[in-house]
Amino acid sequence: EDTTARRKDAHLDLCATGDVEPGQNSTLLECVRLVHCAMPEMAVEDVDLRTPFLGKTLSAPLLVTGMTGGTERAGTVNRDLARLAERHGLAFGVGSQRAMAEDASRAASYQVRQVAPTVALLGNIGLYQAVRLGVDGARRLMDAIGADGLALHLNAGQELTQPEGDRDFRGGYDVVESLVRAFGDRLMVKETGCGIGPDVARRLADLGVRNIDVSGLGGTSWVRVEQLRAKGMQAELGAEFSAWGIPTAAALATVRRAVGPDLRLVASGGIRTGLEAAKVLALGADLAGMALPLFRAQQAGGFEGAEAVLGVILAGLRQALVLTGSRSCAELRQRPRVVTGELKDWLAAL
Ligand code: FMN
């Protein structure tokens, strides 16, 4: 096996069972309280979660964010979770397509259209792979899997913790600019668990980026994943920076404030329940994104295991809307909310 595929398999093992969500990290969503409405004056079935995304209409404002591809095991994860997204009307992203860019025989593990013909589907490449691939290479990767959009991932924290990772982060905005020109509103820029803050978001928006997944701190930590693989100095640095990042709630609220109402915002990083999804929707996200909980449920119980976990999340989200008296995400956004504690400090500083 080549090194990209071997590294990906080690990542999957660590994410399936390792301590990749350091306990000291928080999304700061515990600092957000939605306000109970004792008289909702609506039925659960009145809740309408439909949300536009990538030219399609989702049944619920949820994105299974990009995780994997490149191996047989990864192919099973992609097909199970894409089928789940198709059945429940969510959006779905494959993981980094670097493995198939390096070796076309790995492409099959990213192919989900046979089980998810209509799902809103995102391809995925890293910012610095995009430099090497160019616009045409990126377009070929998207077309090869029938994707509706392309997620461009940022992961400087992870790279610096990887012995073989990138050390030069210059020229990123130029790459984004060329991809925006090629893909327009089909392009999404995402972090991978350290968060996109308001300054970066504003520059991305100025370049024409229309979709951002803030992917903040509080869930899967890729610095921690690399720490668990590393030795010596890299392992020490990984431990030191495992809590590095902008908490998801802080990234989301400050980015929304910075870029205005029109940019499409996904909030991922540590979203684990329907109530947490409701909180990010109330704070201004258009979609809530999730990776680790659905991956773990799939590893433990296959498609049915993932569907059971998703069922609880969807029920919790609907319950939060009813108990705030909201028929839609737009109404939820109008409801009062209480912001306390450390989140207030972030909102004051950014
Ligand atoms: N993000 C990417 O953009 N590309 C990837 O290839 C990728 N691989 C991942 C693999 C696994 C097993 C997991 C758990 C996450 C991966 N991510 C990747 C990051 C997720 O998309 C997401 O941004 C991050 O995990 C935070 O969400 P979570 O806390 O719900 O896991």
Side-chain angles (χ1 to χ4, degrees):
E1 291 227 331
D2 66 49
T3 50
T4 302
R6 208 166 342 126
R7 184 168 65 235
K8 293 286 163 194
D9 230 34
H11 284 158
L12 287 191
D13 281 333
L14 286 166
C15 286
T17 55
D19 172 26
V20 297
E21 302 179 279
Q24 77 268 28
N25 293 353
S26 166
T27 60
L28 295 184
L29 284 170
E30 71 277 12
C31 299
V32 179
R33 303 290 295 271
L34 303 179
V35 180
H36 178 60
C37 172
M39 298 277 280
E41 289 292 331
M42 61 180 285
V44 174
E45 66 176 34
D46 294 334
V47 171
D48 181 357
L49 294 172
R50 280 177 303 168
T51 302
F53 187 56
L54 295 175
K56 295 183 169 169
T57 302
L58 309 182
S59 308
L62 296 180
L63 166 64
V64 182
T65 65
M67 284 185 269
T68 198
T71 62
E72 226 168 276
R73 175 184 182 190
T76 304
V77 174
N78 278 335
R79 284 186 299 274
D80 277 354
L81 295 182
R83 185 154 67 91
L84 183 70
E86 174 83 24
R87 180 183 285 187
H88 294 273
L90 321 181
F92 176 80
V94 297
S96 171
Q97 291 176 264
R98 178 173 172 176
M100 71 180 267
E102 290 173 354
D103 176 355
S105 74
R106 300 196 181 281
S109 59
Y110 298 88
Q111 302 291 359
V112 298
R113 278 297 180 210
Q114 65 274 33
V115 293
T118 70
V119 80
L121 178 64
L122 280 165
N124 189 298
I125 53 171
L127 177 60
Y128 294 93
Q129 291 153 245
V131 177
R132 290 183 277 273
L133 285 165
V135 165
D136 291 339
R139 192 191 305 278
R140 273 195 296 277
L141 288 179
M142 267 177 77
D143 290 347
I145 64 167
D148 301 295
L150 179 68
L152 181 73
H153 73 254
L154 316 179
N155 67 339
Q158 177 186 14
E159 294 289 342
L160 288 176
T161 318
Q162 260 180 7
E164 69 276 29
D166 285 327
R167 293 293 182 273
D168 181 351
F169 303 106
R170 290 174 295 184
Y173 287 114
D174 294 338
V175 180
V176 170
E177 193 171 14
S178 64
L179 292 172
V180 168
R181 218 176 292 128
F183 301 119
D185 59 9
R186 303 273 148 179
L187 181 72
M188 159 172 291
V189 179
K190 74 184 288 284
E191 240 285 344
T192 45
C194 289
I196 291 175
D199 292 343
V200 169
R202 211 177 282 116
R203 275 193 77 172
L204 293 173
D206 287 346
L207 291 177
V209 172
R210 306 297 301 146
N211 307 280
I212 293 178
D213 179 348
V214 297
S215 192
L217 182 72
T220 310
S221 163
W222 282 90
V223 175
R224 170 58 64 89
V225 173
E226 297 298 346
Q227 176 202 336
L228 297 173
R229 279 196 331 128
K231 294 192 171 60
M233 182 177 87
Q234 293 305 136
E236 279 184 53
L237 290 172
E240 186 178 333
F241 283 87
S242 278
W244 179 263
I246 309 171
T248 296
L252 168 64
T254 59
V255 167
R256 178 54 87 199
R257 199 165 60 186
V259 300
D262 294 336
L263 204 133
R264 192 159 295 280
L265 282 186
V266 180
S268 74
I271 309 299
R272 299 292 175 261
T273 67
L275 177 52
E276 287 170 340
K279 286 180 179 183
V280 296
L281 296 169
L283 283 180
D286 296 290
L287 283 80
M290 274 176 296
L292 193 70
L294 294 170
F295 170 67
R296 285 195 163 165
Q298 187 279 338
Q299 291 289 288
F303 175 87
E304 287 75 19
E307 188 168 49
V309 165
L310 177 66
V312 179
I313 290 167
L314 284 170
L317 176 56
R318 284 203 192 88
Q319 182 158 332
L321 266 85
V322 173
L323 292 180
T324 53
S326 315
R327 283 175 173 70
S328 66
C329 300
E331 284 187 17
L332 176 63
R333 218 160 284 143
Q334 313 288 311
R335 299 286 173 261
R337 73 200 72 109
V338 182
V339 175
T340 65
E342 192 187 331
L343 183 55
K344 255 167 104 173
D345 297 340
W346 282 88
L347 297 185
L350 302 188

